[in-house]
């Protein structure tokens, strides 16, 4: 599923990285410990986190992620958005918890063979 | 952990210089500084701040006023009330072990302040900014953030007593060429002195520690 489609279907706010909205989401991952995400997030995934530090952009680029979704209505740091903009990496915001949003994404087929 | 007991234990373990760094607070530092002054142990006031990223970062100062100014700034970013039955009593005591009061704030929580801002504020108040126990999975910067942000203007990093300073750089390549020290991170009296760093300095002051961390003017961290 394209990131653009996720934005429309799940009412996500695009905070940065419009240039990357055409990317395909290949699976998903939830995590706020960046060492864990670096080691275990699937390549090309969408990543749900409450962490807003600049390092999330580097982690996302390293794992060739399609997008980052900041959950729980949190605000990422300004420099994070700036860097994501430079990288063309979509940063999306959702007022919902990672649990709730991940459930919806999974149900919609993100992360399963048929939907990804 | 009364001020007098802390200083007594420092004397027993031959520590010349310590920093009192409670979580998000420095309300007990003054009493330990006064007791240390009487008994010949230099005590610096500081805080171990839990940042928005849930990274523990030390802010260590030369003067109590600077630490109190930092504390006021941290308190403004700290929400929640302590629940003593869950998190324990947060006592403020004087050097005679008299309880002056209880801190009602949720000191175990994270402040809504980012690491970059915390380092900048620490430096604005002329303090040293050290990333705490970087070898630890819980609240260590490498575990929380994957790696140490290269543009974070830390004065150094601290490794816990579990990792000998002589092995720290080899075990944790993420430390890079940043200045590195170790300390006890004592939460109990018995922990005081379980690790310490030897610094070559002319006097136990923040300015001298800064020189030692930079390996400057003959000062240095002896590994």
């Amino acid at each position: 599923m394209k990131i653009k489609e996720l934005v429309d279907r799940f009412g996500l706010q695009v905070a940065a990285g419009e240039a990357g909205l055409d990317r395909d989401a290949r699976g998903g991952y939830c995590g706020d410990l960046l060492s864990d995400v670096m080691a275990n997030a699937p390549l090309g995934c969408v990543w749900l986190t409450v962490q807003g530090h600049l390092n999330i952009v580097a982690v996302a680029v390293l794992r060739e992620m399609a997008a980052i979704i900041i959950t729980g209505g949190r605000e990422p740091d300004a420099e994070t958005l700036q860097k994501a903009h430079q990288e063309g990496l979509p940063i999306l915001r959702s007022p919902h918890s990672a649990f709730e949003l991940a459930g919806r994404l999974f149900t919609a087929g993100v992360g399963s063979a048929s939907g990804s | 952990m009364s001020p007098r007991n802390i200083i007594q234990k420092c004397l027993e373990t031959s520590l010349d210089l310590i920093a009192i760094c409670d979580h998000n607070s420095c309300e007990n530092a003054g009493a330990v500084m006064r007791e240390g002054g009487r008994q010949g142990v230099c005590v610096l006031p500081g805080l171990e701040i839990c940042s928005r990223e849930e990274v523990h970062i030390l802010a260590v100062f030369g003067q109590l006023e600077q630490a109190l100014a930092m504390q006021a700034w941290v308190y403004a970013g700290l929400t929640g009330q302590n629940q003593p039955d869950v998190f324990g009593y947060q006592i403020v005591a004087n050097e005679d072990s008299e309880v002056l009061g209880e801190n009602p704030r949720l000191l175990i929580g994270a402040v809504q302040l980012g690491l970059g801002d915390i380092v900048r504020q620490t430096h604005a108040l002329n303090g040293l900014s050290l990333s705490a126990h970087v070898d630890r999975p819980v609240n260590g910067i490498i575990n929380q953030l994957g790696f140490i942000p290269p543009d974070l203007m830390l004065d150094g990093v601290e490794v816990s007593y579990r990792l000998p300073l002589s092995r720290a750089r080899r075990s944790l390549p993420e430390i890079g060429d940043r200045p590195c020290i170790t300390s006890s991170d004592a939460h109990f009296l018995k922990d005081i002195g379980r690790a310490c760093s030897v610094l070559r300095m002319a006097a136990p002051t923040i300015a001298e520690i800064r020189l030692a961390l930079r390996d400057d003017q003959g000062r240095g961290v002896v590994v």
Side-chain angles (χ1 to χ4, degrees):
Chain A
M1 194 181 294
K2 296 248 186 251
I3 298 302
K4 174 94 182 61
E5 218 180 317
L6 293 184
V7 168
D8 294 340
R9 267 177 85 164
F10 298 101
L12 306 173
Q13 181 211 334
V14 181
E18 279 96 348
L21 291 179
D22 266 346
R23 296 173 177 191
D24 277 312
R26 288 181 280 138
Y29 200 75
C30 297
D32 308 314
L33 280 180
L34 271 52
S35 51
D36 170 72
V37 177
M38 268 169 78
N40 297 313
L43 294 176
C45 71
V46 282
W47 170 27
L48 279 57
T49 185
V50 294
Q51 190 69 259
H53 187 272
L54 177 60
N55 275 20
I56 64 173
V57 178
V59 171
V61 170
L62 180 80
R63 303 304 297 179
E64 300 170 18
M65 289 182 187
I68 302 173
I69 306 178
I70 309 286
T71 56
R74 292 217 183 195
E75 288 274 3
D77 297 355
E79 56 260 42
T80 305
L81 295 178
Q82 215 172 353
K83 185 74 181 167
H85 175 71
Q86 283 168 19
E87 297 283 347
L89 169 74
I91 292 193
L92 316 170
R93 291 180 66 233
S94 167
H96 302 294
S97 72
F99 176 82
E100 198 177 334
L101 188 61
R104 292 186 190 181
L105 292 174
F106 196 85
T107 308
V110 176
S112 68
S114 57
S116 63
Chain B
M1 288 285 259
S2 71
R4 197 156 292 159
N5 287 341
I6 290 170
I7 295 303
Q8 183 58 38
K9 183 77 178 174
C10 291
L11 292 170
E12 287 167 16
T13 51
S14 304
L15 297 175
D16 304 310
L17 171 64
I18 64 168
I20 298 293
C21 301
D22 284 341
H23 282 192
N24 297 326
S25 172
C26 69
E27 296 197 33
N28 281 303
V32 188
M33 291 171 79
R34 288 189 292 276
E35 186 62 21
R38 269 193 287 278
Q39 302 212 49
V41 177
C42 180
V43 179
L44 300 175
L47 301 88
E48 185 186 48
I49 302 161
C50 185
S51 77
R52 182 166 62 202
E53 302 85 0
E54 303 210 1
V55 169
H56 282 181
I57 184 156
L58 298 163
V60 184
F61 300 92
Q63 307 296 324
L64 185 58
E65 294 69 31
Q66 297 161 334
L68 289 170
M70 189 73 189
Q71 176 183 266
W73 187 77
V74 166
Y75 278 178
L78 187 65
T79 56
Q81 297 287 304
N82 186 40
Q83 286 179 266
D85 51 333
V86 181
F87 300 116
Y89 292 95
Q90 300 176 157
I91 298 298
V92 181
N94 68 13
E95 48 271 56
D96 294 319
S97 298
E98 292 165 341
V99 174
L100 303 177
E102 223 181 296
N103 193 324
R105 292 182 165 83
L106 187 60
L107 296 179
I108 200 166
V111 297
Q112 288 310 307
L113 300 162
L115 274 177
D117 287 338
I118 292 169
V119 173
R120 276 187 288 276
Q121 182 69 11
T122 305
H123 287 161
L125 291 165
N126 204 29
L128 291 172
S129 189
L130 301 156
S131 197
H133 44 69
V134 297
D135 54 313
R136 299 298 297 146
V138 178
N139 303 120
I141 194 167
I142 296 170
N143 195 51
Q144 292 297 126
L145 292 182
F147 56 94
I148 302 175
D151 58 349
L152 194 63
M153 299 298 284
L154 293 168
D155 296 295
V157 302
E158 182 224 29
V159 294
S160 79
Y161 71 96
R162 299 167 185 84
L163 180 58
L165 199 49
S166 57
R167 289 213 328 256
R169 281 179 211 284
R170 213 169 345 129
S171 300
L172 277 178
E174 295 92 338
I175 293 173
D177 56 5
R178 292 175 182 83
C180 185
I181 59 162
T182 184
S183 64
S184 64
D185 195 5
H187 286 56
F188 301 95
L189 212 51
K190 65 176 171 54
D191 297 337
I192 293 174
R194 65 183 169 182
C196 67
S197 301
V198 178
L199 272 60
R200 193 168 51 242
M201 302 188 291
T205 63
I206 283 287
E208 285 282 331
I209 297 172
R210 188 173 282 122
L211 289 175
L213 290 172
R214 290 177 185 165
D215 205 17
D216 195 8
Q217 299 178 35
R219 280 75 165 175
V221 180
V222 180
V223 180

